[in-house]
Amino acid sequence: QVQLVESGGGLVQAGGSLRLSCAVSRSRFSITAMGWYRQTPGKLRELVARITSGGSTNYADSLKGRFTISSSRDNAKNTVYLQMNSLKPEDTAVYYCKFSGSYADQSYWGQGTQVTVSS
């Protein structure tokens, strides 16, 4: 069973920063892409940012310049990060990480972490 462990959410004032991380144990599957998504009540989960195993990134247009996705790898695990700067109240959501593999059924989600931005 593949388990993703998220951390880094919390409460921050508008204009502040947070860094989310999400780790998965290595050797479980070949990772092709990692991403962050967010969801608010009553809305669909939306893409925040995505990074491929080759390092290519893409972002939601509204978040470019404020959010940065990156990744790291060591002998034990693969980790994806989301640096969030200049946070706004509308960034308040549950943030989920996702790891994708080479096969269609290799799509794994983190448990979600709450980010709350106060005005």
Side-chain angles (χ1 to χ4, degrees), residues 4 22 42 46 60 65 69 78 80 85-87 90 94 103-104 107:
L4 279 58
C22 178
E46 62 177 4
I69 190 170
N78 288 85
V80 63
N85 298 327
S86 303
L87 283 162
E90 52 264 42
V94 178
Y103 300 97
S107 180

Side-chain angles (χ1 to χ4, degrees), residues 10-53:
L11 174 64
V12 64
Q13 288 188 332
S17 298
L18 282 174
R19 189 191 196 206
L20 307 182
S21 64
C22 178
V24 65
S25 297
R26 291 202 66 197
S27 77
R28 288 291 187 176
F29 61 101
S30 178
I31 295 169
T32 57
M34 296 159 278
W36 288 96
Y37 296 73
R38 67 186 185 184
Q39 188 170 24
T40 54
K43 294 189 176 181
L44 296 175
R45 193 171 296 185
E46 62 177 4
L47 174 71
V48 173
R50 185 174 178 271
I51 184 168
T52 69
S53 58

Side-chain angles (χ1 to χ4, degrees), residues 8-20 38 66-67 82-93 95 113-119:
L11 174 64
V12 64
Q13 288 188 332
S17 298
L18 282 174
R19 189 191 196 206
L20 307 182
R38 67 186 185 184
R66 295 195 296 121
F67 288 17
L82 184 68
Q83 178 67 43
M84 304 184 292
N85 298 327
S86 303
L87 283 162
K88 304 175 181 180
E90 52 264 42
D91 294 319
T92 295
Y95 285 70
T113 186
Q114 177 71 46
V115 170
T116 303
V117 184
S118 63
S119 57

Side-chain angles (χ1 to χ4, degrees), residues 49-108:
R50 185 174 178 271
I51 184 168
T52 69
S53 58
S56 297
T57 59
N58 63 287
Y59 296 87
D61 287 342
S62 62
L63 301 177
K64 288 179 180 177
R66 295 195 296 121
F67 288 17
T68 303
I69 190 170
S70 62
S71 64
S72 68
R73 182 176 66 182
D74 61 28
N75 289 335
K77 60 186 184 296
N78 288 85
T79 306
V80 63
Y81 305 94
L82 184 68
Q83 178 67 43
M84 304 184 292
N85 298 327
S86 303
L87 283 162
K88 304 175 181 180
E90 52 264 42
D91 294 319
T92 295
V94 178
Y95 285 70
Y96 297 89
C97 62
K98 179 183 177 183
F99 280 70
S100 302
S102 302
Y103 300 97
D105 61 346
Q106 291 179 325
S107 180
Y108 306 101

